[in-house]
Amino acid sequence: TQGATAIALTKLAVLSYLDAIPVCTRYELNGVQTDEFPFPAALADAHPVMEQLSGWHCDISGVRRWEDLPEAARHYVEYIEAQIGCPIRYVSVGAERDAYLIR
C-alpha cells in the first residue's frame, strides 16, 4: 500500500455491463506463481493468473449509499480491498462530482 491508509476506488460503474469481471491475482513465470509484479525484463515471459468475479449487470451511477450497491458490486470492492491490504473508503460510481459513496 506504500503507506496509504485509505483508497479511493474509481470507475466502478464502467464494470457494470460485464457478466463476469476478470481479476489478475498473480503471475506465472517459468512454471512458478508469484504475487509480485514481474520485473520488466521478465514481463514478456510472465502469464497472468486470472479469477472471475460475478458482475452485477445494472446501472449503479445513481447509487450513493454502500447498502444500495448490488451485492456483487460490494463483493468486488471487498475482494479488491482484501487483496491490496488497505481499506477502500470512497467508491466512485460515475463521472459527476457527487457520484461517489463513502464506506
Side-chain angles (χ1 to χ4, degrees):
T1 61
Q2 299 181 1
T5 57
I7 300 290
L9 179 66
T10 63
K11 304 214 179 253
L12 186 64
V14 301
L15 303 174
S16 293
Y17 74 96
L18 297 171
D19 292 322
I21 301 169
V23 178
C24 178
T25 57
R26 62 192 59 84
Y27 291 90
E28 185 172 322
L29 183 61
N30 300 322
V32 177
Q33 290 192 5
T34 179
D35 293 333
E36 301 295 322
F37 189 77
F39 188 73
L43 194 55
D45 297 322
H47 302 283
V49 177
M50 307 296 285
E51 287 187 28
Q52 299 288 324
L53 299 179
S54 296
W56 46 94
H57 222 309
C58 65
D59 181 16
I60 61 170
S61 62
V63 174
R64 297 297 180 271
R65 294 179 340 132
W66 175 253
E67 304 80 32
D68 296 335
L69 276 177
E71 183 179 350
R74 291 193 314 266
H75 175 73
Y76 175 80
V77 173
E78 290 166 346
Y79 179 88
I80 298 301
E81 182 178 65
Q83 296 305 308
I84 63 175
C86 186
I88 296 174
R89 295 283 184 241
Y90 304 95
V91 179
S92 167
V93 293
E96 294 78 28
R97 181 173 272 210
D98 70 341
Y100 71 94
L101 54 97
I102 300 173
R103 292 187 61 215

